[in-house]
Amino acid sequence: MAIPLISDLLERFFGPAEDPHSRDDVKRRLKIVLAHDRLALDPQTLEMMRQEIIAVVSRYVEVDFDALEFSLATDQRVTALTANLPIRRIRPLGRGADQPISPDSEAKKIELASQSEILAMDAEEAEAALRRFEAKNNAEGSSDGQDPIHAPLDIDRSGLDEETQDDNAALSEDDVAAMNSEAETSTETGESGSEVPDMSAPDSSVSMKSSGNTNSESA
Amino acid sequence: MSRIIVMTSGKGGVGKTTCTANLGMALAKAGQRVAVVDADFGLRNLDLLLGLENRIVYTALDVLAGECRLDQALVKDKRQPNLALLPAAQNRSKESIKPEQMKRLIKALTKVYNFILIDSPAGIEMGFRNSIAAAREAIIVTTPEISAVRDADRVIGLLEANDIKAVRLVINRLRPAMVAAEQMMSVKDVQGILSIPLLGVIPDDEQVIVSTNKGEPLVLEEKLSKAGIAFTNVSQRLQGEKVPLMDLSIPQDSFFTRLKRLFGM
Ligand SMILES: Nc1ncnc2c1ncn2[C@@H]1O[C@H](COP(=O)(O)OP(=O)(O)O)[C@@H](O)[C@H]1O
Ligand SMILES: [Mg+2]
């Protein structure tokens, strides 16, 4: 018999010192994944449902967006959707609903806007450059009474808007993924550019990740 | 009326074929007339586990093609004349047979046999659909592992959707020591999660491999191993007997058994 190591001896005597709770872990994971499997609802639909529920509830009460929870649980082969929406306060009469934080639609808004937005930004940048150029000219050369404010470039956006709507109709998962990365780049462009309205949504990006987890688990 | 039971799991390698061979043999031993049907076309194994591989002349496909009669394709077991195997074709794919054809074969078998066990292939595609086409009952075989239980759950849903209502559970390869150490889901955990009636629990047992090597199901041994007893119990419950679950809990280690183990004795 080979001489066993001390740790070997200890293990043989006291039993293996492995993670004692893996049984609970696996039960928890299994229950979640089964709840999703059994419902057979695709993650997009689930997300849509989530957003609509928040929207409806937000009409009446102010929801704590940071603390809300949606989960699927299953018992006796019956699946239940549980929504936990902590309420900050009842909405004062006459005040409209807050925009519910909806990471997906937020992301889509960014993506969908990106094409036309980029063009618009290009135009704005071009405009700004033109102004700078003119200002420089005016300062250097003798100002001969030229109007310092250049007429804005005339850009027809209507066509662009239609195009983005078509994109929307033909969204496939790959498109969404591709556009997500696109959205990131356009957000960056937006920071260097001047007038992109509030595209950073730090909170929503967190919940986006959690919904992504759900996707991969139920896929 | 004959009992037509499909053994299925979703996931491969959890013990469907082992269960089919042992249950088939145990039922035959108990005097039932049993046909075991290999529905795993292209990856047949049931013949090996029963030690009948050298006696196959025709397969189910030959019967369907009209090249032989059904009784010519059936391989009768010499040790246990109540048992017959309907072999699958090994050189053909699962798509080479349709659910309707499977139904015709099984229907014909019901004239002679009162238990028909169908060994389903892994997956939920064509081979699975063939194997459940004629079944009226199902035995879900799973191990206490997350992936196997998940797949089992999926299959239970599909069986329900196909109007197979008598669905019961066999938990295979249970390791009581791991359950005691909280490292494996218990029988209660798995059964509670799947929520179907429990038909039996088979411990993980080295003897299963030994019996596979010999081509001799465990239930034929003179002195039954733990798994052999468990399979026999399942077959008795299938026949309507009330047999309590085997006590698989490991005896609490005494100081001396620990000492013995310490010195490798
Ligand atoms: N209770 C058990 N204890 C030990 N090994 C087992 C047990 N049940 C099955 N096995 C082994 O697991 C493997 C897969 O079994 P098999 O019956 O072929 O599964 P399936 O038909 O579901 O693919 C085989 O090698 C078999 O010997
Ligand atoms: Mg098999």
Side-chain angles (χ1 to χ4, degrees), chain B residues 7 9 11-18 20 38 40 43-46 49 119-122:
Chain B
M7 317 285 291
S9 69
K11 188 167 158 57
V14 298
K16 293 177 291 294
T17 305
T18 308
T20 309
D38 195 342
D40 203 345
L43 290 170
R44 75 177 184 208
N45 275 330
L46 189 54
L49 267 61
D119 182 22
S120 137

Side-chain angles (χ1 to χ4, degrees), chain A residues 12-13 20 23 37-38 77, chain B residues 150 153 182 189 193-194:
Chain A
R12 274 198 219 170
F13 196 73
R23 175 183 161 204
D37 285 359
R38 286 175 186 172
R77 307 200 65 78
Chain B
R150 182 193 195 174
D153 190 76
E182 300 272 320
D189 292 339
I193 286 170
L194 292 177

Side-chain angles (χ1 to χ4, degrees), chain A residues 4 7 9 11 22 41 44 51 58 61 71 77 82 98 104 113 121-122 128 146-147 154 160-161 173 184 205 212 218:
Chain A
S7 63
L9 283 173
E11 189 171 302
S22 67
L41 207 61
Q44 285 86 350
Q51 286 173 24
S58 302
V61 291
S71 61
R77 307 200 65 78
T82 316
D98 290 342
D104 266 356
M121 284 187 311
D122 282 354
Q146 212 179 39
D147 185 3
D154 192 20
L160 291 171
D161 284 350
E173 263 175 58
E184 273 171 34
S205 75
S218 58

Side-chain angles (χ1 to χ4, degrees), chain B residues 65-136:
Chain B
E67 275 159 32
C68 70
R69 295 189 316 272
L70 180 56
D71 61 280
Q72 289 176 302
L74 286 168
V75 185
K76 277 130 206 147
D77 195 294
K78 289 202 173 110
R79 298 157 296 193
Q80 188 42 259
N82 281 337
L83 182 76
L85 163 74
L86 179 61
Q90 174 68 348
N91 55 354
R92 301 290 280 278
S93 77
K94 299 187 178 24
E95 282 73 32
S96 55
I97 174 171
K98 294 189 186 68
E100 280 314 309
Q101 296 177 305
M102 197 63 159
K103 273 188 186 166
R104 273 175 52 211
L105 286 172
I106 306 278
K107 188 102 191 139
L109 288 173
T110 59
K111 295 194 182 104
V112 181
Y113 298 94
N114 51 355
F115 268 92
I116 296 156
L117 304 185
I118 304 162
D119 182 22
S120 137
I124 50 173
E125 293 83 28
M126 199 57 190
F128 167 75
R129 275 186 277 148
N130 283 333
S131 69
I132 68 167
R136 295 200 197 99

Side-chain angles (χ1 to χ4, degrees), chain A residues 27-165:
Chain A
K27 262 162 61 182
R28 189 180 37 75
R29 289 175 60 216
L30 185 56
K31 280 181 181 165
I32 293 171
V33 86
L34 287 189
H36 285 264
D37 285 359
R38 286 175 186 172
L39 197 62
L41 207 61
D42 61 292
Q44 285 86 350
T45 314
L46 206 63
E47 178 57 23
M48 244 162 66
M49 195 162 79
R50 197 181 82 97
Q51 286 173 24
E52 283 179 37
I53 290 170
I54 297 173
V56 168
V57 176
S58 302
R59 245 182 264 154
Y60 301 94
V61 291
E62 218 170 275
V63 173
D64 184 355
F65 290 121
D66 292 333
L68 51 82
E69 269 174 26
F70 280 80
S71 61
L72 288 173
T74 167
D75 188 32
Q76 293 296 308
R77 307 200 65 78
V78 177
T79 302
L81 169 71
T82 316
N84 186 358
L85 311 172
I87 292 167
R88 280 220 197 93
R89 60 181 156 162
I90 294 181
R91 198 170 285 292
L93 268 176
R95 244 195 82 196
D98 290 342
Q99 274 297 309
I101 295 176
S102 46
D104 266 356
S105 72
E106 204 69 16
K108 269 177 205 134
K109 242 193 268 163
I110 297 170
E111 296 144 19
L112 292 177
S114 68
Q115 290 286 13
S116 52
E117 206 96 34
I118 286 169
L119 283 176
M121 284 187 311
D122 282 354
E124 271 165 25
E125 258 170 43
E127 234 181 282
L130 209 60
R131 274 186 224 136
R132 278 198 300 276
F133 175 75
E134 281 169 0
K136 218 168 140 199
N137 267 359
N138 288 346
E140 275 174 10
S142 54
S143 94
D144 44 20
Q146 212 179 39
D147 185 3
I149 299 167
H150 197 277
L153 290 181
D154 192 20
I155 292 168
D156 180 14
R157 294 190 195 193
S158 55
L160 291 171
D161 284 350
E162 271 164 33
E163 218 177 278
T164 43
Q165 281 200 333

